[in-house]
Amino acid sequence: MPSFSTGTVQTVLACATAPTEGFTALSPVSSAGDAVTVCPGGAQLYAGQAYVLDASQQQAVDAALGPFDYSYASALWTLAFSTVVGLYFVSHGISLVLNMIRRG
């Protein structure tokens, strides 16, 4: 079975106003021992493990998150619906022929 990787698990830093599950709060300190403000707007710095996508996967992710194409979706739906209706009529016609042969 082929295996492929789209990313890796890495330690990431994030600025947030509230703690996120799996992330721990950090208090950044300079080399002089002073507290350093890293995050803007009173947010706090958090560290945690996250799955980070490879840069090579950017096009696939951008395409998946792109705008929804309603005309393409409606064309696919129309094709599927007309296939189902067409198969219904074909099977109905076959059953009429078989009933005529059986009653024959």
Side-chain angles (χ1 to χ4, degrees):
M1 177 176 226
S3 67
F4 58 93
S5 174
T6 58
T8 57
V9 177
Q10 297 181 5
T11 301
V12 295
L13 301 175
C15 292
T17 55
T20 306
E21 184 178 337
F23 280 72
T24 56
L26 297 177
S27 57
V29 178
S30 70
S31 59
D34 300 337
V36 178
T37 303
V38 177
C39 298
Q44 190 170 356
L45 186 64
Y46 293 92
Q49 296 286 318
Y51 189 77
V52 180
L53 292 176
D54 290 334
S56 63
Q57 299 297 321
Q58 180 179 359
Q59 285 182 335
V61 172
D62 287 344
L65 298 176
F68 188 75
D69 189 1
Y70 290 98
S71 62
Y72 183 71
S74 66
L76 284 179
W77 190 90
T78 302
L79 174 67
F81 183 74
S82 55
T83 301
V84 169
V85 171
L87 288 174
Y88 170 77
F89 283 125
V90 167
S91 62
H92 183 68
I94 290 172
S95 70
L96 289 176
V97 170
L98 290 177
N99 282 337
M100 184 178 65
I101 293 171
R102 188 177 352 159
R103 293 180 187 174

